[in-house]
């Protein structure tokens, strides 16, 4: 079973910008595209853990602020020629609110 | 959606490059079919010369093998020549009967070697030099026969002759003119070239007119118009190329010398049919080098992908000869006329010759022999139309003499070990780069940057990487094209866009993107930042800044550190401070448990390791103690460094400290194309290092020397003297006017040093020193833009602006 957690109002995320969600164990960046699509990703670049939340977003890609790697927010993968991947989290927007699945599904099943 | 059918005739360099560009832009758009007369995948034709000289193998020059076609779902008909195009039915038909339907067709049939129409030209042993088959035949001949004649003393002929010489043949080059390579070299350079080739054993017959090829079935010799006969077992004709237009002509496409195309590379007869490469004639010119063809390929791909806005406008080309050990470069009009001047350097002893042709202080052409290290630099200056008057006296000595420590010669690159580090920022070695260039088939600087990260950071090794690229791929390396688009989202240049913003009053980012037909909906990191700045500069009172289009440092008003914390640098005007201010900083540092404090190179204090969420309250305390942001993070006015000056120093001529404070009060808060630093020194001892600043003042007894365009960073550049003035008021006016001119004219991320080298000091003097009303107008515009700019961002945020940016959302989970 999947559990959705309400995290933020959509309006509170700037268009082409991010907000940080801090849980006890993790820091997640939620992004809002110019089409209001929302993405959630572990706030650590696969390169050297740069805070992706602080990067510049374009389309569904984020450019890391530290060394300009580009990460696909849909999959968490670095765009070629770089290689690496960061965790992404399922997101949904209902009404004016953004919900996340904070636990990756696998963890729940094995718990 | 049913995919459109795209057919390419000609599996050569230009055609396949178009497909590669197209696959990058619109991989799903077309079902692609390729016909190639040669029985191979796509190979690097240029490298046939090194193959002939046994410096490379055929395998090493393959660009795309069968797997590449398969991986991209391209149907390749190897070894099939198209003999008919049926435009009514939109079909192409190959000699073996294969038929393919097209919605769009690309003709890239290249050219054929021009064979002299003399009797006997069809005998066995008489060859052109164009493809792998020719190279095989030459190699075979060299193993059986001894004597070769190459007809044609141009690039191709000399490369062929060099290869055959390396294969142990006895080679004579026959040339109709009295000097070699007359289209690329002037007489003195040609003479040097001839001497060094003769030293290798090559023979020359100049001013020789071929009359007949002798022999029965196979060639045995050549007879010339003057009656002379020379023995030969192999004759290579390299007297020119003829665009291969027979197929296009037979289907009724308008051809002159080549297939005539428009600026989007469509044939003028049938817009469904594109033509590119050597078979094409564009604005009257048929090109025979790859750099222009690759540009054509980009444009055609862009149009096929339906982005539709790129235009091909012709290319300026340069030449190199790929004969190992001979360094030769030429570009543009290197002969000159009665309106041009020339500067020449010749040292026959070491075999060096350099000639630069100038007109109105711009480079019109250049020939270099022996030492070609600066070829690409001259070529760039020529294409950019740079005014060289400021460094004319050292021009011939090359870029290294401009204090460009990042520049290094290609010849030096060649001698470096594979383990030598080229890019200090990313730790990339020569071996890594060379390997990536060959294995991944990289042709341009951008590609090398993307794949290896070399020169992708501070850029100081760009010169080395370019040299390495040129060294590794030889003549095909194309230097950065002249009209460099702002970024990959657009084909327009910085200048075109800046002018458009003002002219059409484009006041928002979407308006700019719309007007210039951007290819991406939101732009990318570089162009968003640039546009945000251009709009802010053009409409200081109207444009609303877009925080999402600023690098994090400017958005968060602090320098992001490697661990994600920030540094805090309050402004200390002119480096001057009071004991109370130092006490306040100390107290605040204690309160926020600042782990490290440092005095910066800019004469102020840096506090490191502050978590983002604590920034607003720390700034509030600083603001209450009277500090404003030092903009140590911004493309903005950074610091005004000062020295002691007349108030205390026994040598001081003017109040440099006081003037520095005034200049910082005038300019702080101003956003710029790049960071901007000022310094004021109290005497020519120059303790504030004013002559490596963007704007530097050196006080002298009779007034103030104003210096501009210095840089102490990656490439050290000493300032140019702008002028001398007499009063502090004048210093402020000139400083404001210069700053505003830079703000309005430079490209985003271009510091004053490269800007001045690009536009020339003369232009700046004219705008500021020689034109008082213009200086006044610039200064006024600067003052207007400073009104909204001089608001302390730290205080605004401490007061609650953009609070969400700084506070994370805590979730119990
Ligand atoms: C703090 C300071 C070093 C210090 O402790 O002294 C410093 C620190 C940095 N410099 Fe610097 N520079 C500092 C003075 C200088 C100076 C000396 C000066 O200004 O007199 C120079 C050479 C002078 C010049 O700029 O011409 C200098 C040339 C650079 C460059 C090369 C610029 C160039 O055009 O070549 C960079 C890279 C860049 O800007 O792209 C750079 C970039 C940086 C960055 C911002 C790197 C970055 O992008 O993160 C460093 C930030 C560290 C941090 O987080 O705070 N820093 N930097 C100095 C801050 C001065 C200040 O009070 O604001
Ligand atoms: C030895 C040599 C050295 C060179 N050195 C340099 C250099 O240093 N720098 C530089 O910039 N340029 C150099 N060039 C020139 C460069 O190679 C050409 O400009 C470039 O290859 C032209 O590309 P293209 O696609 O127009 O033609 P090509 O690469 O010739 O491709 C055309 C292809 O179309 C095929 N074809 C023709 N008709 C048909 C048909 N009807 N059906 C099917 N297929 C057909 C041909 O077989 C050929 O494979 C050199 C050329 C040679 C031969
Ligand atoms: S402070 Fe400047 S010189 Fe020092 S490491 Fe950072 S960028 Fe390099
Ligand atoms: S940490 Fe993200 S690019 Fe280096």
């Amino acid at each position: 079973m999947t559990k959705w957690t309400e995290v933020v109002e959509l309006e509170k995320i700037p268009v082409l910008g991010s907000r940080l969600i801090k849980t006890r164990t993790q820091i997640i960046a939620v992004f809002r595209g110019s089409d209001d699509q929302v993405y959630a990703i572990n706030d650590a670049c696969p390169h050297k853990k740069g805070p992706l939340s602080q990067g510049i977003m374009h389309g569904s890609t984020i450019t890391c602020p530290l060394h300009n790697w580009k990460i696909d927010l849909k999959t968490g993968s670095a765009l070629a020629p770089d290689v690496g991947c960061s965790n992404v989290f399922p997101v949904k927007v209902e009404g004016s609110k953004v919900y996340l699945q904070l636990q990756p599904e696998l963890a729940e099943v094995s718990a | 959606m049913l995919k459109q059918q795209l057919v390419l005739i000609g599996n050569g360099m230009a055609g396949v490059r178009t497909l590669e560009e197209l696959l990058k832009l619109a991989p799903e758009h077309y079902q692609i079919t390729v016909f190639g007369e040669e029985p191979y995948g796509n190979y690097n034709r240029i490298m046939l010369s090194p193959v002939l000289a046994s410096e490379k193998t055929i395998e090493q020059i393959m660009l795309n093998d069968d797997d590449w076609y398969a991986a991209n779902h391209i149907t390749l008909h190897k070894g099939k020549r198209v003999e008919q195009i049926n435009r009514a039915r939109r079909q192409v038909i190959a000699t073996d009967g294969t038929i393919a339907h097209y919605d769009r067709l690309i003709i890239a049939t290249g050219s054929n070697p021009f064979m002299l129409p003399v009797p006997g030209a069809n005998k066995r042993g008489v060859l052109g030099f164009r493809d792998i088959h020719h190279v095989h035949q030459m190699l075979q001949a060299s193993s059986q026969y001894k004597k070769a004649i190459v007809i044609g003393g141009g690039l191709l002929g000399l490369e062929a002759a060099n290869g055959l010489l390396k294969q142990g043949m006895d080679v004579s080059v026959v040339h109709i003119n009295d000097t070699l390579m007359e289209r690329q070299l002037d007489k003195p350079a040609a003479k040097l070239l001839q001497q060094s080739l003769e030293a290798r054993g090559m023979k020359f017959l100049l001013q020789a007119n071929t009359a007949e090829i002798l022999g029965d079935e196979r060639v045995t010799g050549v007879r010339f118009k003057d009656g002379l006969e020379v023995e030969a077992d192999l004759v290579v004709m390299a007297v020119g190329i003829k665009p291969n237009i027979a197929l296009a002509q037979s289907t009724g496409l308008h051809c002159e010398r080549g297939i005539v195309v428009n600026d989007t590379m469509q044939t003028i007869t049938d817009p469904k049919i594109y033509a590119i490469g050597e078979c094409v004639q564009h604005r009257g010119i048929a090109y025979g080098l790859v750099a222009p063809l690759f540009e054509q390929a980009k444009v055609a791909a862009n149009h096929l992908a339906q982005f539709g806005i790129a235009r091909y406008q012709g290319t300026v080309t340069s030449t190199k000869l790929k004969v190992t050990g001979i360094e030769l470069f030429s570009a543009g009009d290197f002969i000159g006329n009665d309106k041009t001047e020339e500067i020449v350097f010749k040292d026959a002893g070491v075999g060096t010759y350099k000639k630069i042709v100038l007109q109105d202080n711009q480079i019109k052409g250049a020939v270099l022999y022996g030492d070609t290290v600066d070829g690409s630099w001259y070529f760039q200056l020529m294409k950019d139309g740079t005014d060289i008057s400021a460094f004319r006296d050292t021009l011939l000595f090359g870029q290294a003499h401009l204090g460009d420590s990042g520049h290094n010669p290609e010849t030096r690159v060649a001698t470096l070990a594979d383990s030598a580090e080229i890019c200090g920022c990313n730790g990339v070695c020569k071996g890594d780069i060379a390997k990536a260039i060959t294995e991944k088939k990289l042709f341009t600087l951008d590609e090398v940057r993307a794949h290896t990260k070399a020169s992708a950071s501070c850029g100081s090794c760009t010169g080395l990487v370019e040299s390495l690229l040129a060294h590794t791929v030889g003549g095909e390396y194309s230097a950065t094209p002249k009209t460099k688009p702002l970024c990959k989202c657009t084909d327009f240049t910085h200048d075109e866009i800046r002018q458009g913003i003002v002219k059409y009053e484009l006041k928002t980012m979407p308006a700019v993107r719309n007007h210039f037909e951007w290819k991406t909906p939101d732009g990318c990191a570089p162009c968003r930042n640039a546009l945000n700045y251009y709009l802010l500069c053009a409409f200081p009172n109207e444009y609303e800044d877009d925080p999402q289009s600023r690098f994090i440092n400017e958005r968060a008003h602090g320098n992001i550190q490697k661990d994600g914390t920030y540094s805090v640098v309050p402004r200390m005007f002119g480096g001057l401070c009071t004991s109370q201010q130092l006490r306040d900083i100390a107290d605040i540092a204690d309160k926020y448990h600042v782990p490290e404090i440092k005095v910066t190179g800019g004469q102020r204090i840096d506090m490191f390791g502050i978590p983002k969420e604590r920034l607003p309250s720390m700034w509030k305390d600083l603001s209450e103690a009277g500090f404003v942001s030092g903009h140590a993070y911004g493309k903005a006015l950074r610091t005004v460094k000062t020295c002691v000056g007349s108030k205390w120093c026994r040598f001081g001529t003017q109040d440099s400290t006081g003037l520095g404070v005034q200049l910082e009060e005038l300019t702080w808060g101003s956003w710029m194309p790049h960071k901007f630093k000022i310094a004021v020194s109290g005497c020519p001892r120059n303790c504030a290092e004013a002559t490596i600043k963007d704007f530097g003042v050196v006080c002298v007894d009779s007034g103030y020397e104003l210096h501009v365009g210095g840089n102490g960073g990656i490439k050290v550049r000493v300032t140019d003297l702008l002028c001398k003035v007499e009063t502090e008021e004048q210093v402020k006016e000139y400083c404001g006017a210069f700053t505003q001119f830079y703000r309005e004219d430079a490209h985003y991320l271009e510091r004053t040093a490269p800007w001045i080298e690009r536009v020339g000091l003369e232009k700046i003097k004219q705008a500021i020193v020689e034109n008082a009303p213009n200086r006044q107008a610039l200064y006024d515009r600067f003052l207007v833009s400073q009104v909204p700019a001089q608001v302390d961002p730290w205080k605004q945020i401490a007061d609650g602006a953009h609070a969400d940016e700084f506070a994370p959302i805590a979730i119990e989970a």
Side-chain angles (χ1 to χ4, degrees), chain A residues 33-85:
Chain A
S34 49
D35 53 0
D36 276 353
Q37 194 72 39
V38 178
Y39 308 91
I41 187 166
N42 180 20
D43 192 31
C45 174
H47 179 217
K48 293 193 174 169
K49 307 230 176 321
L52 295 174
S53 54
Q54 314 298 303
I56 288 186
M57 182 186 187
H58 34 97
S60 56
T61 307
I62 181 77
T63 297
C64 177
L66 293 198
H67 317 94
N68 292 335
W69 279 31
K70 295 185 181 55
I71 315 295
D72 180 356
L73 291 169
K74 290 190 289 229
T75 61
S77 298
L79 298 191
D82 297 316
V83 270
C85 188

Side-chain angles (χ1 to χ4, degrees), chain B residues 561 567 598 600-601 604 641 675 677 711-712 714 751:
Chain B
Q561 309 290 314
S567 65
K598 179 178 183 306
T600 74
R604 47 203 193 164
K641 248 163 123 160
K675 60 190 183 194
K677 298 177 178 179
N711 192 323
I714 297 162
R751 260 188 98 172

Side-chain angles (χ1 to χ4, degrees), chain B residues 377 381 386-387 391 402 717 752-760:
Chain B
W377 182 54
L381 292 172
T386 305
D387 181 332
F391 47 96
L402 285 183
R717 181 181 196 273
T752 56
W755 171 62
I756 286 186
E757 282 184 9
R758 181 170 62 83
V759 304

Side-chain angles (χ1 to χ4, degrees), chain B residues 690-691 693-698 705-709 719-722:
Chain B
T691 47
K693 293 290 175 271
D694 298 275
F695 186 86
V697 183
V698 176
E705 286 175 10
L706 307 183
H707 299 261
V708 295
T719 42
D720 295 309
L721 177 65
L722 182 69

Side-chain angles (χ1 to χ4, degrees), chain B residues 113-121 125-129 138 148-161 164 171-177 180 202-214 219 221-224 230 232 234-241:
Chain B
F114 179 69
M115 303 302 273
L116 288 178
V118 292
V126 182
L127 301 174
F129 182 20
M138 284 189 234
I149 287 186
V150 175
I151 305 182
L155 271 178
L156 204 59
L158 294 180
E159 289 185 10
L164 294 170
V171 185
S172 301
V173 174
V174 173
H175 195 45
I176 192 154
N177 280 306
L180 299 174
M202 208 179 278
K203 295 176 193 150
F204 292 94
L205 286 165
L206 299 182
Q207 286 174 290
N209 223 325
T210 309
E212 187 182 349
I213 310 286
L214 306 172
V219 53
V222 175
R223 192 168 54 75
F224 297 95
V230 179
L234 172 71
V235 171
V236 177
M237 290 208 193
V239 288
I241 52 172

